[in-house]
Amino acid sequence: VSVHGFAEAIRAYRVIFPDSESQLIKLAQNLVIKHFEITEQRVKRRISSTNFLGALRAIWDDVLLMDGVLSEAALSNFSLEVTHATVKKYVASTFTYLLQDISDALLKVKVSPKEAAEEHPLQVALEASKKTVLQGSMDVLLDFRQLVDDELGLLVKLRAFIIDWVQEGFQDFFRSLDSCFLLLSGRKNSSSQDQGFSEGALGEKVLAGLVLVLAQLSEIAASFSSGGARGHENGHVFVPGEICQLFQLGGEKLLHHYINIRTRRVSTLLRKRFTTPNWVKHKEPREVHMFVDLFLQELKAVDSEVKQILPEGLLRKHQRSDSNGSTNSSRSNALLDDKMSRSNTQKARSQLLETHLAKLFKQKVEIFTKVEYTQESVETTIVKLCLKSLQEYVRLQTFNRSGFQQIQLDIHFLRTLLKENIEAEEAIDFLLDEVIVAASERCLDPIPLEPPILDKLVQ
């Protein structure tokens, strides 16, 4: 219907039918309501701020036109009430679509075999996710800024309300985003254990990226702190500190969840290793067991992931240039010479006893420290947990002399490699010693291999 024609019809009706005012007011209000209903339908299907502003301008022009011929209807005030609800729905809808965009982007992050061939697949996934979150948030802010800055009569009167709606919306949006991350990592809303593992499979691949995204979001949160119309005492506004704390806690949960996922994989490997053979009838060790290689492969995968995502710590350990060469070349000469000097069985056995007794007098070693957002901290924590798990599996078995010597050989091989590539040497040494001691306690005849034999088998 042409609003111009409608306005002319109102003018004519008022002349011909003086008593038609109440009916005309109702007709005019219904027309305004229909305009807003159409706009709200467009908002549900997603509409840009430019198009939304265009729709509001068209409505306002029609309202002013009808006000000229039917001032008694007070359509300006009537429109303001309807606009209040429509703009609020637009703000809420915009945040909903932003959250959906981010969720969709993260669900697409899967490291397929083809993508795994890339040099840095996780880094690529992280950058794509960051762009969706950060650019999406900034685009939303710019859209809302258009509403706040516009001089349209309807919006000028709602400016203070819009600021409050945006701030409340961002507060709720970041809470929902935190829940979304936890859900995608498999930590939340699992109706069963199996469902939790299936959701966790996605989390395992994108988790490191999510950790960094959370950190980035904590930074942007501080930039959304300008005040609204109502202030804190009159309702919820955006509180950067609360959001930063929320994401800090969420980030810590996800970081620990990543560590648990990786540790659980190694624990499964260890369980198969220690429950399969008959340790009481174990044959004399000829070489380092294959589980050590598999264990090191898991650590290599962790190393690859954290290097793509997390920053180095302040005290990055110097890596030996020949650490990727032969096992023999990677061992410390000092350590080798020290062990070579003890060449008889009695001394080796005495050393084992000394190691056991030393635990009673040794200064307390701080094994588990707070996990930091650094490559070294995450890798070291995973290694510590895996060694602790190894110790527990050893305690559940009973070994003959050869079985005990196999454990001794495996730990001898691991010791130098781990110490060269992992921080916290003292803690790693302590945990490795604990494994040997646990094996000796569960052994029927704990006579260790002499160091020269260990070195020869390792070579």
Side-chain angles (χ1 to χ4, degrees):
V1 176
S2 166
V3 177
H4 283 278
F6 184 69
E8 290 304 318
I10 289 176
R11 193 192 305 276
Y13 261 73
R14 296 199 66 184
V15 173
I16 302 170
F17 306 107
D19 296 331
S20 63
E21 183 180 291
S22 60
Q23 293 163 297
L24 293 173
I25 289 173
K26 187 176 181 180
L27 282 172
Q29 290 177 342
N30 284 340
L31 183 60
V32 172
I33 290 172
K34 285 187 183 295
H35 269 305
F36 279 104
E37 286 177 349
I38 293 171
T39 302
E40 286 183 13
Q41 289 300 318
R42 294 178 66 190
V43 166
K44 288 180 182 178
R45 294 193 300 268
R46 198 163 195 173
I47 184 174
S48 69
S49 60
T50 302
N51 290 337
F52 183 63
L53 280 170
L56 292 182
R57 264 193 205 91
I59 294 173
W60 186 243
D61 289 343
D62 291 346
V63 165
L64 294 178
L65 185 63
M66 288 187 286
D67 259 350
V69 296
L70 191 63
S71 58
E72 293 83 356
L75 290 180
S76 298
N77 293 333
F78 178 78
S79 300
L80 186 63
E81 295 175 13
V82 187
T83 306
H84 185 283
T86 302
V87 175
K88 189 173 184 180
K89 287 179 182 177
Y90 170 75
V91 171
S93 175
T94 302
F95 282 117
T96 300
Y97 279 116
L98 175 59
L99 187 64
Q100 187 63 51
D101 288 344
I102 294 168
S103 178
D104 290 345
L106 292 171
L107 285 171
K108 292 176 184 175
V109 178
K110 295 180 180 178
V111 184
S112 65
K114 182 179 178 181
E115 291 172 325
E118 296 179 20
E119 189 177 356
H120 301 297
L122 269 184
Q123 194 171 17
V124 172
L126 170 63
E127 291 304 317
S129 301
K130 276 171 59 180
K131 184 176 180 181
T132 305
V133 175
L134 302 179
Q135 192 59 50
S137 299
M138 297 310 295
D139 289 345
V140 163
L141 277 179
L142 290 173
D143 281 351
F144 292 146
R145 185 62 182 264
Q146 279 188 274
L147 296 183
V148 173
D149 290 346
D150 201 279
E151 296 300 325
L152 184 65
L154 284 172
L155 295 176
V156 169
K157 296 178 181 179
L158 292 175
R159 187 168 289 162
F161 289 101
I162 294 173
I163 291 175
D164 284 333
W165 294 334
V166 170
Q167 291 186 345
E168 289 175 3
F170 260 109
Q171 191 86 352
D172 293 337
F173 163 73
F174 281 119
R175 288 195 191 101
S176 299
L177 190 62
D178 179 66
S179 298
C180 173
F181 287 157
L182 293 176
L183 177 62
L184 289 174
S185 72
R187 284 187 52 89
K188 196 172 182 181
N189 295 340
S190 301
S191 58
S192 67
Q193 186 177 9
D194 292 337
Q195 183 182 349
F197 280 119
S198 65
E199 291 173 348
L202 172 66
E204 180 180 346
K205 296 186 174 91
V206 301
L207 184 60
L210 291 178
V211 170
L212 195 53
V213 169
L214 289 170
Q216 292 284 352
L217 285 173
S218 295
E219 290 182 18
I220 13 181
S223 66
F224 301 142
S225 57
S226 58
R230 297 198 307 249
H232 293 265
E233 67 279 2
N234 295 321
H236 297 291
V237 293
F238 191 86
V239 185
E242 181 182 326
I243 294 300
C244 288
Q245 185 178 24
L246 175 71
F247 277 92
Q248 183 180 6
L249 293 174
E252 289 175 1
K253 288 178 185 177
L254 290 167
L255 193 60
H256 283 286
H257 185 46
Y258 172 77
I259 290 171
N260 289 338
I261 289 171
R262 278 298 177 188
T263 307
R264 201 159 54 224
R265 287 173 63 92
V266 175
S267 184
T268 302
L269 175 69
L270 293 175
R271 183 171 63 250
K272 291 179 181 178
R273 163 64 179 138
F274 282 94
T275 55
T276 302
N278 184 345
W279 287 99
V280 178
K281 298 180 180 181
H282 202 281
K283 295 180 181 180
E284 183 179 341
R286 297 294 181 186
E287 60 182 1
V288 176
H289 193 271
M290 182 179 65
F291 101 89
V292 177
D293 290 327
L294 298 175
F295 176 40
L296 293 173
Q297 285 177 17
E298 289 294 330
L299 295 183
K300 184 178 179 182
V302 171
D303 185 66
S304 173
E305 289 176 349
V306 299
K307 281 182 177 176
Q308 290 181 59
I309 302 302
L310 299 174
E312 289 187 358
L314 297 177
L315 300 174
R316 182 62 178 175
K317 194 172 190 177
H318 175 66
Q319 299 291 325
R320 290 176 57 92
S321 59
D322 60 352
S323 62
N324 292 325
S326 68
T327 307
N328 188 33
S329 66
S330 68
R331 291 200 305 272
S332 163
N333 290 331
L335 180 65
L336 186 59
D337 292 341
D338 179 61
K339 289 188 176 294
M340 286 287 286
S341 67
R342 302 167 187 177
S343 59
N344 61 70
T345 304
Q346 186 58 42
K347 283 188 178 181
R349 195 167 187 178
S350 297
Q351 182 191 10
L352 182 65
L353 180 60
E354 289 168 10
T355 302
H356 195 180
L357 292 175
K359 289 197 303 175
L360 301 175
F361 306 101
K362 186 184 293 186
Q363 184 178 7
K364 184 178 179 181
V365 178
E366 190 175 14
I367 302 299
F368 294 102
T369 55
K370 180 178 173 61
V371 182
E372 305 291 341
Y373 285 85
T374 65
Q375 298 170 18
E376 299 78 25
S377 180
V378 172
E379 286 185 82
T380 302
T381 301
I382 290 175
V383 170
K384 289 176 181 177
L385 289 170
C386 290
L387 293 180
K388 196 65 180 171
S389 181
L390 174 59
Q391 179 190 355
E392 295 305 318
Y393 279 116
V394 167
R395 283 177 172 169
L396 296 175
Q397 305 300 325
T398 300
F399 303 92
N400 65 359
R401 182 194 300 181
S402 296
F404 164 65
Q405 290 174 348
Q406 180 69 60
I407 300 299
Q408 183 193 9
L409 173 62
D410 295 342
I411 295 302
H412 181 76
F413 180 82
L414 273 175
R415 187 182 300 271
T416 305
L417 292 179
L418 291 180
K419 286 174 66 177
E420 284 193 352
N421 294 282
I422 301 296
E423 298 296 314
E425 280 189 31
E426 188 178 15
I428 297 298
D429 254 340
F430 179 82
L431 289 169
L432 290 169
D433 288 342
E434 287 283 277
V435 174
I436 297 295
V437 169
S440 71
E441 291 173 345
R442 299 295 301 160
C443 181
L444 302 172
D445 184 21
I447 297 179
L449 289 171
E450 298 177 16
I453 299 176
L454 285 174
D455 290 326
K456 186 175 181 180
L457 290 172
V458 164
Q459 290 173 29

